[in-house]
Amino acid sequence: MDVKVKKKVNLSTTEQLQSLSKEELVEKIQQLEAHNKQLKCIVQKNLTTVKGADGKVSKKRPFDFSKCFKRHILLRFYYLGWDYQGFAAQEDSLDTIEYHVFTALKKVCLIESRETSNYNRCGRTDKGVSAFHQVISLDVRSKFPPKEQLLEENVAAELDYCAMLNRVLPEEIRCLAWMPMVNTSYSARFDCRSRTYRYFFPRGDLNITAMEEAAGHMLGSHDFRNLCKMDVGNGVVNFVRSIEEICIRPSQADTTDDRSYDMMYLQLRGKAFLWHQVRCIMAVLLLVGQGKENPAIVQELLDVEKNPCKPQYSMASDVPLNLYECQFNEKSGEPNEGKTDDESELRPWIYQEDNLWRTISDLQTLWTKHSVKTTMIREMLATLQGVFQENFGVGRSLCNQADSLTQGVRSREYCPLLQRQRCESLENRIEHYSKKRRIEVSAKPIESDTARTDGSVPSTQTACST
């Protein structure tokens, strides 16, 4: 048996290097440079070779994007964000939806890099938040030259973008459809006219009628500084937003007669939302549903002249929140050469039968795993409820299903919102950050920033809009 002994490399000390002559130093540097070059060649060789199924090593040529055509498209995704750190990519985490999407796009050679892809996203979702209708716009590789890309037969024969991506994406993230775009300036962010969020919750013992009354006060345009998390440090100083629709609807009825296990959802539709706005709204509505606050509390919180400082309260959980639908303008805000004013720039979403079939099958698998667990727990609850009533009184039942959706520590005695300690006012925060030179305060009145925003904070901020 041959045994190879690795010779220990002695590193030169400062004293040893100083004792060498000029010629010896030059020779040593040349040796190091030659060794460094050799190592680079070895590393490069390892990066450009792949091992096939037969075990043979073959060279992998870098993809030449200069020889490819590009086309501008919209891509529609769904994702279950419960185990991810939000949608937007972050410097200190690889566990984001956007990181996996771009990793997949580059792996299947649809784009060369994010910087060269003309990329925009419809909305940012926070840690734990899911989406059924997330949309991005970008330039991707195409089989056809630009002048032929919108021909019906070429759209049908184009690369199967969704199938390509779904082969390399995690099972919680799936591409559903793509849309060919006429205008290369069309933006999933700036040309989205409305975003619909749904927040799912169990009925429990909540007073749904009172919650609906409270929600009705938010319809229309209001200053929501007391119903969001203010992010003045990143330049957000206007908190006026418009809610076009807000309602509470049933989602799924329980299989038994116990309506406390029925699932409901709060639906909100608007052009833009503030940071954690939906979760703060839901937190207050839960307090109303539990009878701890009157529906009129919403009017009090929206009256920023009477209540300029937000009372301290915990947000609702992130898990039930879903970016459920996005609607887009027929025409981009940017001009499109060669198109008439009346012609829509949108096209029907392109679905592929095989891809949609596999996606539904994958989602059914996930549903089965979670539904079996839920059913087991539900049966245990039904049995324990029967034992409780038999031993401690018929008719008594526990309906605290919705209580766990409110985060934070619960005090034994409830303190009304308007009697709680208040956060700093908007004016104090603006003054604080202007002194730190984080923001610049203009002498002109601040205009609404809802016209061309997705409700998210600037790109330097890792947190998200909802």
Side-chain angles (χ1 to χ4, degrees):
M1 182 176 65
D2 294 333
V3 179
K4 293 183 179 180
V5 180
K6 292 184 179 181
K7 189 176 181 180
K8 187 177 180 181
V9 178
N10 293 321
L11 299 177
S12 301
T13 64
T14 303
E15 293 180 356
Q16 290 173 334
L17 291 174
Q18 288 176 344
S19 66
L20 297 176
S21 65
K22 182 178 180 180
E23 291 75 14
E24 289 174 327
L25 284 172
V26 171
E27 183 182 357
K28 194 170 187 67
I29 291 172
Q30 289 175 339
Q31 289 175 352
L32 289 172
E33 287 181 341
H35 184 61
N36 190 36
K37 185 176 181 181
Q38 185 182 17
L39 288 174
K40 284 183 177 179
C41 291
I42 294 173
V43 172
Q44 187 63 30
K45 184 179 179 180
N46 290 334
L47 290 174
T48 56
T49 58
V50 292
K51 193 173 281 189
D54 55 359
K56 294 181 179 180
V57 175
S58 60
K59 289 189 176 180
K60 184 181 179 181
R61 296 180 180 179
F63 196 88
D64 189 357
F65 283 91
S66 64
K67 297 180 180 179
C68 301
F69 300 115
K70 288 185 178 182
R71 73 183 306 159
H72 193 61
I73 66 170
L74 297 182
L75 279 174
R76 178 187 170 186
F77 292 87
Y78 85 71
Y79 53 85
L80 302 173
W82 306 318
D83 298 323
Y84 291 88
Q85 299 296 313
F87 181 80
Q90 302 175 21
E91 293 180 359
D92 58 348
S93 176
L94 301 182
D95 206 14
T96 65
I97 305 295
E98 203 170 57
Y99 170 81
H100 288 287
V101 168
F102 272 100
T103 299
L105 286 166
K106 288 187 282 188
K107 192 169 186 177
V108 297
C109 299
L110 288 182
I111 65 169
E112 187 171 10
S113 67
R114 173 172 177 158
E115 292 72 25
T116 60
S117 64
N118 188 23
Y119 169 75
N120 270 298
R121 56 178 170 248
C122 178
R124 299 166 65 107
T125 52
D126 198 6
K127 175 183 176 182
V129 179
S130 302
F132 178 62
H133 199 133
Q134 175 67 274
V135 178
I136 64 173
S137 56
L138 76 170
D139 297 338
V140 295
R141 174 165 59 96
S142 173
K143 293 166 60 175
F144 306 100
K147 292 183 179 180
E148 302 175 12
Q149 288 174 353
L150 294 176
L151 296 177
E152 187 174 345
E153 60 272 20
N154 289 347
V155 170
E158 186 55 280
L159 295 170
D160 193 347
Y161 296 122
C162 292
M164 293 169 68
L165 290 169
N166 288 341
R167 282 196 292 268
V168 295
L169 282 169
E171 66 175 353
E172 301 91 353
I173 309 171
R174 284 292 179 265
C175 182
L176 294 174
W178 70 280
M179 183 188 297
M181 298 308 301
V182 178
N183 188 351
T184 57
S185 299
Y186 199 97
S187 168
R189 176 186 177 187
F190 296 122
D191 295 310
C192 180
R193 74 168 185 265
S194 73
R195 297 164 177 85
T196 300
Y197 284 90
R198 286 186 179 180
Y199 192 100
F200 295 86
F201 64 96
R203 180 188 292 272
D205 60 352
L206 297 174
N207 185 339
I208 303 298
T209 303
M211 294 174 69
E212 289 175 326
E213 181 184 346
H217 297 312
M218 302 181 206
L219 196 63
S221 184
H222 304 280
D223 190 318
F224 285 93
R225 70 181 66 180
N226 290 329
L227 289 164
C228 73
K229 188 171 182 179
M230 290 196 289
D231 192 37
V232 178
N234 278 300
V236 181
V237 294
N238 189 329
F239 296 91
V240 176
R241 296 294 185 271
S242 181
I243 294 181
E244 301 167 6
E245 177 193 18
I246 182 167
C247 60
I248 297 175
R249 295 174 179 170
S251 175
Q252 186 175 0
D254 187 65
T255 54
T256 67
D257 294 332
D258 190 349
R259 295 191 66 194
S260 67
Y261 287 93
D262 290 353
M263 292 302 297
M264 316 288 291
Y265 65 85
L266 170 72
Q267 179 164 298
L268 301 97
R269 187 181 77 246
K271 180 173 176 58
F273 291 88
L274 295 158
W275 189 20
H276 294 319
Q277 181 180 353
V278 178
R279 292 171 62 188
C280 287
I281 286 174
M282 190 64 204
V284 173
L285 291 182
L286 286 173
L287 293 175
V288 172
Q290 293 165 352
K292 296 177 179 178
E293 295 286 347
N294 189 283
I297 186 62
V298 172
Q299 291 176 301
E300 295 286 342
L301 294 174
L302 293 176
D303 188 347
V304 295
E305 292 186 2
K306 185 177 179 181
N307 295 289
C309 300
K310 175 186 174 183
Q312 293 184 359
Y313 59 87
S314 299
M315 295 187 297
S317 171
D318 49 14
V319 172
L321 185 55
N322 193 311
L323 175 59
Y324 199 78
E325 186 180 10
C326 301
Q327 294 182 325
F328 294 89
N329 298 321
E330 294 292 330
K331 290 173 60 67
S332 171
E334 300 294 330
N336 183 27
E337 295 181 2
K339 296 296 174 183
T340 62
D341 292 339
D342 298 331
E343 188 173 357
S344 174
E345 295 174 357
L346 297 179
R347 295 290 185 271
W349 287 105
I350 307 297
Y351 294 92
Q352 294 292 343
E353 181 180 359
D354 290 343
N355 178 65
L356 199 56
W357 181 269
R358 283 193 296 270
T359 301
I360 293 174
S361 178
D362 292 342
L363 204 54
Q364 283 180 340
T365 300
L366 288 173
W367 175 86
T368 301
K369 291 178 182 178
H370 292 285
S371 185
V372 167
K373 293 178 181 178
T374 301
T375 303
M376 290 175 63
I377 295 171
R378 182 69 185 90
E379 291 294 328
M380 294 165 69
L381 282 167
T383 302
L384 288 176
Q385 185 66 41
V387 172
F388 185 88
Q389 291 180 350
E390 180 181 346
N391 287 274
F392 302 104
V394 179
R396 294 187 63 190
S397 61
L398 189 65
C399 302
N400 293 342
Q401 293 93 331
D403 288 2
S404 61
L405 296 180
T406 303
Q407 297 180 329
V409 180
R410 298 176 197 158
S411 58
R412 292 184 179 180
E413 294 185 6
Y414 179 76
C415 179
L417 285 178
L418 296 182
Q419 296 177 20
R420 297 187 187 184
Q421 187 174 350
R422 303 297 179 103
C423 301
E424 279 188 299
S425 68
L426 174 60
E427 292 73 22
N428 286 344
R429 294 192 183 196
I430 292 175
E431 183 180 0
H432 171 76
Y433 286 108
S434 62
K435 286 181 179 179
K436 286 191 171 185
R437 298 185 179 180
R438 287 275 299 275
I439 60 173
E440 293 183 4
V441 181
S442 174
K444 298 179 180 179
I446 302 170
E447 298 179 355
S448 173
D449 56 356
T450 59
R452 290 179 65 81
T453 181
D454 61 353
S456 63
V457 293
S459 58
T460 56
Q461 175 71 14
T462 58
C464 305
S465 59
T466 54

